[in-house]
Every structure is written in C-alpha cells, then in structure tokens.
Amino acid sequence: MLTSRVRTGVPVDLLHRTATLLLITASVYLSIHSETQAHSADQPRLPNFVIIFADDLGYADLNCFGSSYPDTPNLDQMAREGRRFTSFCVAQAVCSASRTALLTGCYPNRVGILGALGPGNTHGIHADEMTIAEVLKPQGYATAIYGKWHLGHHPQFLPTRHGFDEYFGLPYSNDMWPRHPTAKFPDLPLIEGERTVELNPDQTKLTTSYTERALKFIEANRDRPFFLYVPHAMPHVPLFVSDKYAGKSSRGIYGDVIREIDWSVGQILQTLKRLKIDENTLVIFTSDNGPWLSYGPHGGSALPLREGKGTAWEGGVREPCVMRWSGKIPPGTECAELAATIDLLPTLAGLAGADLPTRKLDGLDIRSLILGESPVKSPHEAYWYYWGDALHAIRSGPWKLHFPHPYVHVDVPGQAGLPGKLVQLRTPLALYNLEQDLSEANDVSAQHPEIVAHLTALAELARDDLGDSLQKRIGKNIRPAGQLTSATGANSK
Ligand code: MG
C-alpha cells in the first residue's frame, strides 16, 4: 500500500492512527475519571479514626471510671456522649509490647517485640508486619502520629516507614534520658519525620505540642478520611506539665498531668465538632498499661483492680477505655464485654472497607460491641495474658485462670518521683470469677475443677501457637522482629 508522507517524513496514516489512539485513550481516561468522581460523590465518606493513647494511666484515674478527683471533665463528657468499655485489655502491661499489639492486631510475642525498647536496642517492627496506618492507606487515608512510638528507634523502624505520613514525637520512653535517677541513658531525641530536631526536649511542652499538631492535622484533612494516633508521653514518669495546668489539681503533679491530657482530649473533640465531622469520626481513648505503682504519688491508681504495670493482674492489663462516635455509638452506655487493643486493627479495617493483612492476626472485629448492635458479646473465646514469652494467665468469659508464675509487687512505694522498693512474689494456680471478684482476691479453683480443666485445655492452644517459656515451649507461629540493617543516617540531627 502506498503511503503519503508529510514534510516530517512520518507516514500520514500513522499520524491518523496515533491521533485516534490518543483520542480513545483520553476518552477512556475521562470516562473512568468521571465515574470515580461520581462514585465518590454518591458514596458515604469513609470514617475518620482518632486513637488517643495515654502512657501508664490507671484504670481508676478517670472520674468516669471511679476516680474521686475531678480532673477529667472532658473525658467524662466524652463518656456521656459515647460508651465506656469496662473490660478493655492491652496485650501486655508494658510500653513497646502494648503499642506493637495495638498497631499490628497481634499479641506482641507473635511479632517478636517484648518489654520496653530503649536506645541500645537494634530491633523493631518487622517490615513485613502491617500497622493500622498501612492497612488504611490503600483506602486513601491521611495518617499521622504525634507522640511516643516505641516500636524501634532506628530509621527503618520509624512510623514514616510503617504507614504514617507524619511523625513528631519521642521514639521511646521519656525517662530514657540522661536525667534518669538510677540508670544511664544517652540524650533523648525528639524526632520530626525521621530527623532529630531536638535533644532532651523541654517535656513541659510535649502534651501541648502533640495536641497542636493533632488539631492542625484534623483541620488540614477535614475533607478526606484520616487516621490520627496520639500516644502521649504522659503520665509516664518523669511527670511534666505546662504552666497552664501546674498546681491546678488537688492530687499533685500526677493530677495536673491528667488534667492536661484531659484538656488535649477536649481540644480534639471540640475541633471535630466545630468542623462538623464528629459524626464521621470514631474517637478512642485508652492507655498502654496500668499505673506504675512503684512511683507512689507519681503513678496512678487501678483500684479496685489488683496490682499495676508490669503484671498480668487486671491492674496491669485492664485499662479505662472510652469511645465516642456521634450518631453511631449510643450515648451514655457501657460495654462490660471483653475487648482489647488487638481488636482495633481488624475493627477499623472493617469500618473502612480495607483488606486485612494476610499474616495471622489475633484481634477480632468488635464493631457490634462498639455500636451496641447484636450480638453484644465478646468474640474472644479465650484471651491470653502473656508476660514476655511466658503464659501467665488465660481468660474465658468471666473466668480467669492464673498459672503459677512470679510477679513483681511494690513493697514500699517511692516518693518525689523516685522508684520504690520491689519484691518478687509468686502466685500458685488460681481461678477468679472477674464478674464477682474484680480484685482477683478469692481463688475458687478448688470449687470449680471443671472450669480449671477447660481453661487449661484452652491454654494448650496458646502454648502450641505462641509458646510458653514457663514450660520451655516454643510456639509454631511466632514471627521475628525486624533487625537493624544499617544505622547509617540514624536520626542524625
Ligand atoms: Mg506505658
């Protein structure tokens, strides 16, 4: 076939074909694009999520959870507008383990992060694990964390590598700094993104600066779905409070600090209301573990629960939890069913229509508990209380069975911000009915051998799956933490 040519030497029919192809491509693009626009306009907007995570706050530190101190008017108001969860548990009563569980939906020993990581650690969250932020990202969520991370401080472990668009905060605990009363630590970095912007920052400003950034983030993302995570450094010791709350509580500096956290919650709730997005935002407030009783008046209270931080007793793992979602959660209600921080990943994923990670999770969807819809029943047949890689107890329904294990008890509480005197105790096998005996005071194992046998059988599933160092058992389904590949450029200032 003869082909006419223009001056460029390009065959004319080729030009025609190219132009036609471009037109088809453009019309297909426009059609898909306008369909997407129409689709998103018709669809209800995906919900926003805000998780506010206090550090070492006790079960009884909020007025709406039994505190006699009127330090929490905003959280009490949040409870009147939302739902209190009175049997809400963390996975382990210590910082890194608890935070890892919240963000990954897994028991922390499944993903290899235990205890409280510090500046000397060379491991952190594994690149193959998925955080809530990573799960929500494909759904178009803006994500931010302002506060304490504690899943590894080297760049490869930081929030910006694990689904968060923005990070400002401390990489580990606020007491891991040169002013620690009994241990040696290097300078404490305050990190923005992946860069250290300050060393040993003025901690009286932390709660305020986290809050200000949270409010800005909400404003900036008012027209799109967002996930905001605010893990406060407080009320973990050493306690610091800004001038606006210093000396305001009758409870001393611990009460002042609680007042400032309560103020922060109030600011976030008011901003959501002002922007008219509170009906599209689920707000969750809870704590990473129970009170650090060793610090006496600088620690909180879990009463009437037994013990506190660092133990598998209820005072360590059961936290005050309030959720608010205007128009969705029935106001002024309470849920006494067992729920846990590991449930938040699958629950938020469900609410956002996001895909779950393909790796095994431990958390379960608790939408019905949050929304007060049928069935209002915990999805957990059994809940496992590990301390490190040792199985200390197991719960099913109201029954909690402690296996013989050692635990640390505060013999003499400290004063003036110093730790107290500890003793190691040991519990024998003991069964408690938490509905009748919230303080785990009356062992009823002798009266209920069939329940002991049932819980012991359920514990075998845990040991098979995750192991139990008390029985020298290695679990079949534990996964490794991430290991430091290179410290190059590690948070260089
Ligand atoms: Mg803590």
Side-chain angles (χ1 to χ4, degrees), residues 322-344:
V322 185
M323 298 196 199
R324 194 198 78 166
W325 189 352
S326 302
K328 295 277 197 315
I329 292 181
T333 54
E334 175 188 321
C335 176
E337 290 290 314
L338 172 67
T341 50
I342 52 174
D343 299 329
L344 295 181

Side-chain angles (χ1 to χ4, degrees), residues 65-79:
F65 272 78
S67 170
S68 56
Y69 297 99
D71 293 328
T72 53
N74 290 299
L75 280 157
D76 301 339
Q77 177 68 22
M78 182 180 168

Side-chain angles (χ1 to χ4, degrees), residues 55-56 95 99 148 236 288-289 309:
D55 195 344
D56 295 5
C95 289
R99 285 152 203 275
K148 174 177 173 179
H236 190 291
D288 70 333
N289 52 250
K309 175 177 179 173

Side-chain angles (χ1 to χ4, degrees), residues 138-161:
Q139 296 298 89
Y141 277 71
T143 56
I145 161 178
Y146 305 115
K148 174 177 173 179
W149 173 239
H150 225 173
L151 275 70
H153 69 285
H154 292 287
Q156 73 190 73
F157 305 128
L158 289 178
T160 43
R161 308 284 181 98

Side-chain angles (χ1 to χ4, degrees), residues 207-379:
T207 303
T208 301
S209 44
Y210 294 160
T211 306
E212 286 171 349
R213 282 170 187 257
L215 303 185
K216 268 189 200 155
F217 174 81
I218 294 171
E219 289 262 7
N221 294 287
R222 60 200 291 179
D223 295 325
R224 60 177 290 198
F226 61 78
F227 168 50
L228 169 63
Y229 177 41
V230 188
H232 284 290
M234 300 289 138
H236 190 291
V237 294
L239 299 175
F240 286 100
V241 68
S242 70
D243 288 344
K244 58 185 179 293
Y245 285 99
K248 293 290 190 317
S249 167
S250 58
R251 194 181 178 181
I253 188 171
Y254 189 86
D256 295 344
V257 167
I258 298 299
R259 280 193 176 217
E260 188 160 31
I261 289 172
D262 181 78
W263 162 82
S264 174
V265 172
Q267 291 291 302
I268 288 171
L269 295 179
Q270 281 169 30
T271 301
L272 295 171
K273 278 184 186 170
R274 179 171 57 77
L275 298 175
K276 297 187 171 45
I277 53 175
D278 57 318
E279 293 197 351
N280 198 39
T281 307
L282 169 60
V283 184
I284 300 169
F285 177 91
T286 189
S287 174
D288 70 333
N289 52 250
W292 207 347
L293 300 174
S294 173
Y295 284 86
H298 281 221
S301 166
L303 292 173
L305 308 182
R306 184 168 171 176
E307 295 292 346
K309 175 177 179 173
T311 75
W313 300 97
E314 290 297 291
V317 295
R318 189 186 294 220
E319 313 308 330
C321 176
V322 185
M323 298 196 199
R324 194 198 78 166
W325 189 352
S326 302
K328 295 277 197 315
I329 292 181
T333 54
E334 175 188 321
C335 176
E337 290 290 314
L338 172 67
T341 50
I342 52 174
D343 299 329
L344 295 181
L345 183 147
T347 303
L348 303 193
L351 289 166
D355 291 334
L356 287 176
T358 51
R359 297 182 136 201
K360 183 170 184 177
L361 294 181
D362 297 296
L364 298 168
D365 193 326
I366 55 165
R367 266 178 286 181
S368 68
L369 300 187
I370 293 175
L371 301 173
E373 293 169 348
S374 183
V376 185
K377 186 174 182 335
S378 175

Side-chain angles (χ1 to χ4, degrees), residues 20-250:
T20 309
L21 190 62
L22 281 172
L23 277 172
I24 291 169
T25 309
S27 77
V28 167
Y29 169 80
L30 284 171
S31 135
I32 290 172
H33 189 63
S34 56
E35 217 168 77
T36 311
Q37 294 279 342
H39 180 73
S40 41
D42 292 345
Q43 292 278 323
R45 219 187 95 170
L46 292 173
N48 309 311
F49 305 117
V50 179
I51 298 179
I52 306 167
F53 213 37
D55 195 344
D56 295 5
L57 182 80
Y59 187 79
D61 282 340
L62 308 185
N63 201 240
C64 56
F65 272 78
S67 170
S68 56
Y69 297 99
D71 293 328
T72 53
N74 290 299
L75 280 157
D76 301 339
Q77 177 68 22
M78 182 180 168
R80 284 193 290 276
E81 294 173 358
R83 195 160 170 80
R84 289 186 317 126
F85 287 76
T86 56
S87 193
F88 193 83
C89 291
V90 294
Q92 292 198 19
V94 63
C95 289
S96 292
S98 176
R99 285 152 203 275
T100 301
L102 167 82
L103 285 170
T104 63
C106 294
Y107 288 116
N109 38 330
R110 184 177 303 289
V111 297
I113 297 189
L114 304 174
L117 301 184
N121 285 106
T122 55
H123 67 284
I125 183 168
H126 196 286
D128 292 345
E129 302 297 345
M130 285 187 80
T131 66
I132 293 176
E134 288 173 294
V135 167
L136 295 176
K137 264 278 149 210
Q139 296 298 89
Y141 277 71
T143 56
I145 161 178
Y146 305 115
K148 174 177 173 179
W149 173 239
H150 225 173
L151 275 70
H153 69 285
H154 292 287
Q156 73 190 73
F157 305 128
L158 289 178
T160 43
R161 308 284 181 98
H162 294 273
F164 288 93
D165 302 328
E166 290 185 29
Y167 171 45
F168 176 77
L170 302 179
Y172 37 75
S173 295
N174 65 320
D175 64 339
M176 294 173 174
W177 68 340
R179 295 183 225 169
H180 193 286
T182 58
K184 274 194 188 301
F185 286 104
D187 291 330
L188 174 67
L190 179 66
I191 296 176
E192 171 124 44
E194 297 182 8
R195 202 169 67 86
T196 296
V197 290
E198 200 176 343
L199 292 172
N200 305 318
D202 176 357
Q203 294 200 31
T204 64
K205 293 180 177 160
L206 286 181
T207 303
T208 301
S209 44
Y210 294 160
T211 306
E212 286 171 349
R213 282 170 187 257
L215 303 185
K216 268 189 200 155
F217 174 81
I218 294 171
E219 289 262 7
N221 294 287
R222 60 200 291 179
D223 295 325
R224 60 177 290 198
F226 61 78
F227 168 50
L228 169 63
Y229 177 41
V230 188
H232 284 290
M234 300 289 138
H236 190 291
V237 294
L239 299 175
F240 286 100
V241 68
S242 70
D243 288 344
K244 58 185 179 293
Y245 285 99
K248 293 290 190 317
S249 167
S250 58

